[in-house]
Amino acid sequence: MENAYSLWKKGLSGSHHVWGKVELDKMGKVDMTIFPHEKHPLINKIGKFFGIGHLDQQIRLLGSLKKFDILYSPYSKSNTKLLLLLKVLGLFKKPIVVTIHQPFWQGKNENPLYRSLSRFYILNYDACIFLSEPLMKKTISLLNISEKDAKKKFSLAQWGPDITYLDKFSRNPLPFESCEYFISAGHTDRDFETLIEAFRGLDYKLWIFCTPKSIPKTLDIPPNVTVNWEVTRSYDLIPFYQKSIAILIPLKYPEHKEGCQGMTSLQDVVSFSKPVIMTRNPCLNLDIEKEGIGKYVGMYDVQDWKNQLTIFASKKSCWVKMSENSRQLFETKFNSEIFAAHLEKVLLATYKKKSV
């Protein structure tokens, strides 16, 4: 988080990667401090061995309990596993507020005991902000959470991009005729292999931006596809997004891991007023077809990709309408200020309950 905050202060990243802090600072009712992520790497290595991520941060935080009223963790159990265990045992008294954007239950394990443990743990959080209504409903159903507990603990908010930061880059988007290629950037559960096959034999160009760990496994990459794993900062991707025809989000994951995959890339879609083609993900809170900003394709469906790519690259009127809808979505219901307003409401309500 401190790295994301530093990039924002330097003008190299949007505030949404700091998950509400920047907006809360401006609003003035909540004083949020970023707790340093890592001081003793060895402790994290030990924690990883025992299946506890970010152990160093959690241990150090125990020595700073007097400095805060509420612990807010945008990555829920990945950053709070030890603290949540201590909370279950009655040894950690501070309220914990989290955002949830991935499945909380015990993976594909259908064992009732695992589901009961998952329900027990998630209800020990003081407040859970789900970033997806389908994911929230699925969690309530699979973990058999009562309506009373869900109403008391759960709420819904759409995480959105920094409208102030990105407006200067998307205020005057390029016309259809000046857009040169398609772009796909990301690394979590990405299916670049299917996307590459879809572009094989087409006249359109594709830029893929990934990390060294998510480089496509395809060996014979066609000449109209460029793969780059060196440009990773969002700021450096801006000129590439600006010249793109549409943003592509190819996904692959087993059903039991279905969560908010592709959500971060959708931030870029609305930020740059672009249309989008993406693998269907029913767990996302945003329906790109209902919002009129893009089209879904089936998982691993090369021909489906080819069909949509041809339409997007040739039909200017559809492209213009989707771009306009994308911009309107950014301004009215999918941005960082709307997310922060809900976060502030949850934090203040949690503080009020704590003080009673």
mmCIF file of all heavy atoms in Angstrom, residues 86-119:
data_model
loop_
_atom_site.group_PDB
_atom_site.id
_atom_site.type_symbol
_atom_site.label_atom_id
_atom_site.label_comp_id
_atom_site.label_asym_id
_atom_site.label_seq_id
_atom_site.Cartn_x
_atom_site.Cartn_y
_atom_site.Cartn_z
ATOM 1 N N LEU A 86 -6.655 -14.766 15.957
ATOM 2 C CA LEU A 86 -6.591 -14.200 17.314
ATOM 3 C C LEU A 86 -7.938 -13.590 17.703
ATOM 4 O O LEU A 86 -8.341 -13.642 18.868
ATOM 5 C CB LEU A 86 -5.490 -13.132 17.382
ATOM 6 C CG LEU A 86 -4.053 -13.643 17.198
ATOM 7 C CD1 LEU A 86 -3.076 -12.468 17.206
ATOM 8 C CD2 LEU A 86 -3.678 -14.641 18.283
ATOM 9 N N LYS A 87 -8.633 -13.032 16.728
ATOM 10 C CA LYS A 87 -9.948 -12.443 16.994
ATOM 11 C C LYS A 87 -10.955 -13.540 17.362
ATOM 12 O O LYS A 87 -11.774 -13.372 18.274
ATOM 13 C CB LYS A 87 -10.420 -11.666 15.761
ATOM 14 C CG LYS A 87 -11.596 -10.718 16.022
ATOM 15 C CD LYS A 87 -11.824 -9.836 14.822
ATOM 16 C CE LYS A 87 -12.999 -8.897 15.021
ATOM 17 N NZ LYS A 87 -12.789 -7.915 16.098
ATOM 18 N N VAL A 88 -10.878 -14.654 16.643
ATOM 19 C CA VAL A 88 -11.740 -15.796 16.945
ATOM 20 C C VAL A 88 -11.497 -16.284 18.370
ATOM 21 O O VAL A 88 -12.429 -16.664 19.086
ATOM 22 C CB VAL A 88 -11.490 -16.935 15.924
ATOM 23 C CG1 VAL A 88 -12.133 -18.236 16.403
ATOM 24 C CG2 VAL A 88 -12.026 -16.546 14.552
ATOM 25 N N LEU A 89 -10.233 -16.263 18.794
ATOM 26 C CA LEU A 89 -9.864 -16.730 20.133
ATOM 27 C C LEU A 89 -10.097 -15.661 21.202
ATOM 28 O O LEU A 89 -9.847 -15.904 22.382
ATOM 29 C CB LEU A 89 -8.387 -17.150 20.144
ATOM 30 C CG LEU A 89 -8.025 -18.345 19.247
ATOM 31 C CD1 LEU A 89 -6.511 -18.552 19.227
ATOM 32 C CD2 LEU A 89 -8.731 -19.606 19.708
ATOM 33 N N GLY A 90 -10.554 -14.480 20.787
ATOM 34 C CA GLY A 90 -10.825 -13.410 21.735
ATOM 35 C C GLY A 90 -9.599 -12.629 22.159
ATOM 36 O O GLY A 90 -9.636 -11.879 23.140
ATOM 37 N N LEU A 91 -8.496 -12.799 21.401
ATOM 38 C CA LEU A 91 -7.233 -12.150 21.772
ATOM 39 C C LEU A 91 -6.958 -10.876 20.980
ATOM 40 O O LEU A 91 -6.000 -10.169 21.254
ATOM 41 C CB LEU A 91 -6.073 -13.138 21.576
ATOM 42 C CG LEU A 91 -6.175 -14.437 22.393
ATOM 43 C CD1 LEU A 91 -5.026 -15.371 22.026
ATOM 44 C CD2 LEU A 91 -6.168 -14.137 23.889
ATOM 45 N N PHE A 92 -7.783 -10.612 19.985
ATOM 46 C CA PHE A 92 -7.649 -9.388 19.197
ATOM 47 C C PHE A 92 -9.008 -8.685 19.220
ATOM 48 O O PHE A 92 -9.991 -9.200 18.677
ATOM 49 C CB PHE A 92 -7.241 -9.725 17.759
ATOM 50 C CG PHE A 92 -6.954 -8.510 16.902
ATOM 51 C CD1 PHE A 92 -5.695 -7.924 16.911
ATOM 52 C CD2 PHE A 92 -7.936 -7.953 16.096
ATOM 53 C CE1 PHE A 92 -5.426 -6.809 16.129
ATOM 54 C CE2 PHE A 92 -7.684 -6.842 15.314
ATOM 55 C CZ PHE A 92 -6.415 -6.268 15.330
ATOM 56 N N LYS A 93 -9.067 -7.549 19.863
ATOM 57 C CA LYS A 93 -10.357 -6.893 20.125
ATOM 58 C C LYS A 93 -10.727 -5.809 19.114
ATOM 59 O O LYS A 93 -11.876 -5.374 19.066
ATOM 60 C CB LYS A 93 -10.325 -6.268 21.527
ATOM 61 C CG LYS A 93 -10.015 -7.256 22.657
ATOM 62 C CD LYS A 93 -11.129 -8.268 22.852
ATOM 63 C CE LYS A 93 -10.875 -9.142 24.082
ATOM 64 N NZ LYS A 93 -11.954 -10.132 24.272
ATOM 65 N N LYS A 94 -9.771 -5.346 18.335
ATOM 66 C CA LYS A 94 -10.050 -4.241 17.428
ATOM 67 C C LYS A 94 -10.976 -4.680 16.286
ATOM 68 O O LYS A 94 -10.878 -5.797 15.782
ATOM 69 C CB LYS A 94 -8.746 -3.706 16.835
ATOM 70 C CG LYS A 94 -7.783 -3.127 17.860
ATOM 71 C CD LYS A 94 -8.223 -1.757 18.334
ATOM 72 C CE LYS A 94 -7.185 -1.150 19.288
ATOM 73 N NZ LYS A 94 -7.501 0.226 19.648
ATOM 74 N N PRO A 95 -11.882 -3.817 15.860
ATOM 75 C CA PRO A 95 -12.733 -4.138 14.716
ATOM 76 C C PRO A 95 -11.905 -4.281 13.435
ATOM 77 O O PRO A 95 -10.918 -3.562 13.241
ATOM 78 C CB PRO A 95 -13.671 -2.938 14.607
ATOM 79 C CG PRO A 95 -13.611 -2.272 15.943
ATOM 80 C CD PRO A 95 -12.230 -2.509 16.461
ATOM 81 N N ILE A 96 -12.298 -5.214 12.592
ATOM 82 C CA ILE A 96 -11.645 -5.410 11.299
ATOM 83 C C ILE A 96 -12.684 -5.242 10.194
ATOM 84 O O ILE A 96 -13.719 -5.910 10.192
ATOM 85 C CB ILE A 96 -11.000 -6.808 11.180
ATOM 86 C CG1 ILE A 96 -9.958 -7.026 12.287
ATOM 87 C CG2 ILE A 96 -10.332 -6.967 9.809
ATOM 88 C CD1 ILE A 96 -9.317 -8.410 12.252
ATOM 89 N N VAL A 97 -12.396 -4.341 9.263
ATOM 90 C CA VAL A 97 -13.252 -4.111 8.097
ATOM 91 C C VAL A 97 -12.461 -4.542 6.863
ATOM 92 O O VAL A 97 -11.295 -4.172 6.706
ATOM 93 C CB VAL A 97 -13.657 -2.628 7.981
ATOM 94 C CG1 VAL A 97 -14.409 -2.368 6.685
ATOM 95 C CG2 VAL A 97 -14.506 -2.213 9.184
ATOM 96 N N VAL A 98 -13.095 -5.326 5.984
ATOM 97 C CA VAL A 98 -12.382 -5.833 4.811
ATOM 98 C C VAL A 98 -13.218 -5.635 3.549
ATOM 99 O O VAL A 98 -14.437 -5.463 3.611
ATOM 100 C CB VAL A 98 -12.057 -7.341 4.955
ATOM 101 C CG1 VAL A 98 -11.129 -7.587 6.135
ATOM 102 C CG2 VAL A 98 -13.329 -8.173 5.091
ATOM 103 N N THR A 99 -12.538 -5.656 2.408
ATOM 104 C CA THR A 99 -13.241 -5.781 1.134
ATOM 105 C C THR A 99 -13.027 -7.213 0.656
ATOM 106 O O THR A 99 -11.984 -7.822 0.898
ATOM 107 C CB THR A 99 -12.716 -4.800 0.073
ATOM 108 O OG1 THR A 99 -11.343 -5.089 -0.216
ATOM 109 C CG2 THR A 99 -12.849 -3.375 0.547
ATOM 110 N N ILE A 100 -14.036 -7.750 -0.025
ATOM 111 C CA ILE A 100 -13.962 -9.134 -0.504
ATOM 112 C C ILE A 100 -14.235 -9.154 -2.000
ATOM 113 O O ILE A 100 -15.286 -8.709 -2.457
ATOM 114 C CB ILE A 100 -14.962 -10.036 0.254
ATOM 115 C CG1 ILE A 100 -14.546 -10.131 1.731
ATOM 116 C CG2 ILE A 100 -15.029 -11.426 -0.384
ATOM 117 C CD1 ILE A 100 -15.425 -11.019 2.577
ATOM 118 N N HIS A 101 -13.253 -9.671 -2.754
ATOM 119 C CA HIS A 101 -13.409 -9.752 -4.205
ATOM 120 C C HIS A 101 -13.009 -11.100 -4.769
ATOM 121 O O HIS A 101 -12.943 -11.278 -5.984
ATOM 122 C CB HIS A 101 -12.638 -8.633 -4.922
ATOM 123 C CG HIS A 101 -11.403 -8.172 -4.232
ATOM 124 N ND1 HIS A 101 -10.149 -8.539 -4.632
ATOM 125 C CD2 HIS A 101 -11.245 -7.356 -3.159
ATOM 126 C CE1 HIS A 101 -9.251 -7.959 -3.842
ATOM 127 N NE2 HIS A 101 -9.885 -7.244 -2.939
ATOM 128 N N GLN A 102 -12.734 -12.068 -3.894
ATOM 129 C CA GLN A 102 -12.456 -13.434 -4.309
ATOM 130 C C GLN A 102 -13.213 -14.388 -3.394
ATOM 131 O O GLN A 102 -13.594 -14.015 -2.290
ATOM 132 C CB GLN A 102 -10.948 -13.718 -4.252
ATOM 133 C CG GLN A 102 -10.099 -12.872 -5.187
ATOM 134 C CD GLN A 102 -10.431 -13.072 -6.653
ATOM 135 O OE1 GLN A 102 -10.976 -14.091 -7.049
ATOM 136 N NE2 GLN A 102 -10.132 -12.063 -7.467
ATOM 137 N N PRO A 103 -13.441 -15.634 -3.821
ATOM 138 C CA PRO A 103 -14.193 -16.586 -2.990
ATOM 139 C C PRO A 103 -13.574 -16.746 -1.607
ATOM 140 O O PRO A 103 -12.356 -16.918 -1.485
ATOM 141 C CB PRO A 103 -14.107 -17.891 -3.786
ATOM 142 C CG PRO A 103 -13.908 -17.456 -5.195
ATOM 143 C CD PRO A 103 -13.061 -16.214 -5.119
ATOM 144 N N PHE A 104 -14.398 -16.689 -0.579
ATOM 145 C CA PHE A 104 -13.916 -16.813 0.794
ATOM 146 C C PHE A 104 -13.982 -18.250 1.276
ATOM 147 O O PHE A 104 -13.255 -18.635 2.179
ATOM 148 C CB PHE A 104 -14.758 -15.929 1.729
ATOM 149 C CG PHE A 104 -14.149 -15.746 3.086
ATOM 150 C CD1 PHE A 104 -13.258 -14.713 3.325
ATOM 151 C CD2 PHE A 104 -14.441 -16.613 4.128
ATOM 152 C CE1 PHE A 104 -12.680 -14.534 4.575
ATOM 153 C CE2 PHE A 104 -13.872 -16.442 5.392
ATOM 154 C CZ PHE A 104 -12.992 -15.395 5.602
ATOM 155 N N TRP A 105 -14.859 -19.052 0.660
ATOM 156 C CA TRP A 105 -15.018 -20.425 1.118
ATOM 157 C C TRP A 105 -13.769 -21.247 0.783
ATOM 158 O O TRP A 105 -12.892 -20.808 0.046
ATOM 159 C CB TRP A 105 -16.266 -21.053 0.508
ATOM 160 C CG TRP A 105 -16.353 -20.922 -0.970
ATOM 161 C CD1 TRP A 105 -15.901 -21.782 -1.918
ATOM 162 C CD2 TRP A 105 -16.926 -19.828 -1.686
ATOM 163 N NE1 TRP A 105 -16.149 -21.310 -3.175
ATOM 164 C CE2 TRP A 105 -16.784 -20.118 -3.064
ATOM 165 C CE3 TRP A 105 -17.551 -18.640 -1.298
ATOM 166 C CZ2 TRP A 105 -17.237 -19.255 -4.052
ATOM 167 C CZ3 TRP A 105 -18.004 -17.792 -2.286
ATOM 168 C CH2 TRP A 105 -17.856 -18.094 -3.632
ATOM 169 N N GLN A 106 -13.730 -22.477 1.294
ATOM 170 C CA GLN A 106 -12.538 -23.306 1.168
ATOM 171 C C GLN A 106 -12.453 -23.972 -0.205
ATOM 172 O O GLN A 106 -12.570 -25.181 -0.356
ATOM 173 C CB GLN A 106 -12.535 -24.377 2.270
ATOM 174 C CG GLN A 106 -12.437 -23.811 3.675
ATOM 175 C CD GLN A 106 -11.089 -23.158 3.939
ATOM 176 O OE1 GLN A 106 -10.070 -23.608 3.424
ATOM 177 N NE2 GLN A 106 -11.066 -22.113 4.732
ATOM 178 N N GLY A 107 -12.266 -23.177 -1.224
ATOM 179 C CA GLY A 107 -12.051 -23.687 -2.567
ATOM 180 C C GLY A 107 -13.127 -24.645 -3.014
ATOM 181 O O GLY A 107 -14.311 -24.458 -2.770
ATOM 182 N N LYS A 108 -12.718 -25.736 -3.680
ATOM 183 C CA LYS A 108 -13.677 -26.695 -4.214
ATOM 184 C C LYS A 108 -14.055 -27.755 -3.192
ATOM 185 O O LYS A 108 -14.805 -28.680 -3.500
ATOM 186 C CB LYS A 108 -13.092 -27.365 -5.453
ATOM 187 C CG LYS A 108 -11.774 -28.110 -5.226
ATOM 188 C CD LYS A 108 -11.244 -28.648 -6.537
ATOM 189 C CE LYS A 108 -9.892 -29.331 -6.342
ATOM 190 N NZ LYS A 108 -9.355 -29.835 -7.622
ATOM 191 N N ASN A 109 -13.529 -27.624 -1.980
ATOM 192 C CA ASN A 109 -13.827 -28.630 -0.965
ATOM 193 C C ASN A 109 -15.263 -28.487 -0.488
ATOM 194 O O ASN A 109 -15.655 -27.454 0.042
ATOM 195 C CB ASN A 109 -12.857 -28.472 0.218
ATOM 196 C CG ASN A 109 -12.835 -29.713 1.089
ATOM 197 O OD1 ASN A 109 -13.876 -30.234 1.464
ATOM 198 N ND2 ASN A 109 -11.640 -30.183 1.396
ATOM 199 N N GLU A 110 -16.056 -29.537 -0.677
ATOM 200 C CA GLU A 110 -17.473 -29.507 -0.319
ATOM 201 C C GLU A 110 -17.722 -30.005 1.106
ATOM 202 O O GLU A 110 -18.864 -30.121 1.535
ATOM 203 C CB GLU A 110 -18.276 -30.377 -1.309
ATOM 204 C CG GLU A 110 -18.181 -29.923 -2.751
ATOM 205 C CD GLU A 110 -18.856 -28.587 -2.990
ATOM 206 O OE1 GLU A 110 -19.767 -28.251 -2.211
ATOM 207 O OE2 GLU A 110 -18.475 -27.895 -3.937
ATOM 208 N N ASN A 111 -16.652 -30.315 1.817
ATOM 209 C CA ASN A 111 -16.798 -30.813 3.179
ATOM 210 C C ASN A 111 -17.556 -29.803 4.043
ATOM 211 O O ASN A 111 -17.147 -28.646 4.153
ATOM 212 C CB ASN A 111 -15.399 -31.073 3.767
ATOM 213 C CG ASN A 111 -15.451 -31.797 5.103
ATOM 214 O OD1 ASN A 111 -16.244 -31.434 5.970
ATOM 215 N ND2 ASN A 111 -14.613 -32.800 5.253
ATOM 216 N N PRO A 112 -18.668 -30.207 4.654
ATOM 217 C CA PRO A 112 -19.467 -29.285 5.477
ATOM 218 C C PRO A 112 -18.658 -28.631 6.594
ATOM 219 O O PRO A 112 -18.931 -27.490 6.976
ATOM 220 C CB PRO A 112 -20.566 -30.183 6.047
ATOM 221 C CG PRO A 112 -20.681 -31.313 5.075
ATOM 222 C CD PRO A 112 -19.287 -31.542 4.578
ATOM 223 N N LEU A 113 -17.656 -29.351 7.115
ATOM 224 C CA LEU A 113 -16.829 -28.794 8.184
ATOM 225 C C LEU A 113 -16.043 -27.581 7.683
ATOM 226 O O LEU A 113 -15.970 -26.553 8.362
ATOM 227 C CB LEU A 113 -15.865 -29.857 8.721
ATOM 228 C CG LEU A 113 -14.868 -29.380 9.799
ATOM 229 C CD1 LEU A 113 -15.621 -28.862 11.024
ATOM 230 C CD2 LEU A 113 -13.928 -30.510 10.187
ATOM 231 N N TYR A 114 -15.481 -27.689 6.470
ATOM 232 C CA TYR A 114 -14.724 -26.573 5.901
ATOM 233 C C TYR A 114 -15.640 -25.372 5.650
ATOM 234 O O TYR A 114 -15.258 -24.222 5.891
ATOM 235 C CB TYR A 114 -14.051 -26.998 4.592
ATOM 236 C CG TYR A 114 -12.786 -27.784 4.783
ATOM 237 C CD1 TYR A 114 -12.799 -29.168 4.753
ATOM 238 C CD2 TYR A 114 -11.569 -27.144 4.995
ATOM 239 C CE1 TYR A 114 -11.632 -29.906 4.921
ATOM 240 C CE2 TYR A 114 -10.393 -27.864 5.174
ATOM 241 C CZ TYR A 114 -10.434 -29.254 5.130
ATOM 242 O OH TYR A 114 -9.278 -29.975 5.304
ATOM 243 N N ARG A 115 -16.843 -25.645 5.165
ATOM 244 C CA ARG A 115 -17.781 -24.559 4.917
ATOM 245 C C ARG A 115 -18.201 -23.894 6.228
ATOM 246 O O ARG A 115 -18.339 -22.675 6.309
ATOM 247 C CB ARG A 115 -19.016 -25.096 4.172
ATOM 248 C CG ARG A 115 -18.689 -25.564 2.756
ATOM 249 C CD ARG A 115 -18.427 -24.360 1.848
ATOM 250 N NE ARG A 115 -17.824 -24.752 0.593
ATOM 251 C CZ ARG A 115 -18.504 -25.076 -0.509
ATOM 252 N NH1 ARG A 115 -19.821 -25.072 -0.476
ATOM 253 N NH2 ARG A 115 -17.883 -25.395 -1.614
ATOM 254 N N SER A 116 -18.366 -24.712 7.271
ATOM 255 C CA SER A 116 -18.734 -24.155 8.584
ATOM 256 C C SER A 116 -17.624 -23.275 9.136
ATOM 257 O O SER A 116 -17.878 -22.212 9.706
ATOM 258 C CB SER A 116 -19.043 -25.292 9.572
ATOM 259 O OG SER A 116 -20.169 -26.028 9.160
ATOM 260 N N LEU A 117 -16.380 -23.732 8.962
ATOM 261 C CA LEU A 117 -15.237 -22.940 9.427
ATOM 262 C C LEU A 117 -15.150 -21.626 8.658
ATOM 263 O O LEU A 117 -14.883 -20.567 9.234
ATOM 264 C CB LEU A 117 -13.936 -23.736 9.264
ATOM 265 C CG LEU A 117 -13.708 -24.872 10.261
ATOM 266 C CD1 LEU A 117 -12.479 -25.681 9.865
ATOM 267 C CD2 LEU A 117 -13.525 -24.319 11.675
ATOM 268 N N SER A 118 -15.386 -21.682 7.348
ATOM 269 C CA SER A 118 -15.355 -20.464 6.534
ATOM 270 C C SER A 118 -16.426 -19.488 6.989
ATOM 271 O O SER A 118 -16.185 -18.284 7.084
ATOM 272 C CB SER A 118 -15.563 -20.819 5.056
ATOM 273 O OG SER A 118 -14.488 -21.581 4.569
ATOM 274 N N ARG A 119 -17.629 -20.002 7.262
ATOM 275 C CA ARG A 119 -18.712 -19.139 7.751
ATOM 276 C C ARG A 119 -18.341 -18.522 9.090
ATOM 277 O O ARG A 119 -18.558 -17.318 9.320
ATOM 278 C CB ARG A 119 -20.000 -19.963 7.899
ATOM 279 C CG ARG A 119 -21.179 -19.126 8.423
ATOM 280 C CD ARG A 119 -22.487 -19.884 8.444
ATOM 281 N NE ARG A 119 -22.455 -21.004 9.364
ATOM 282 C CZ ARG A 119 -22.441 -22.280 9.003
ATOM 283 N NH1 ARG A 119 -22.439 -22.607 7.729
ATOM 284 N NH2 ARG A 119 -22.425 -23.230 9.906
#
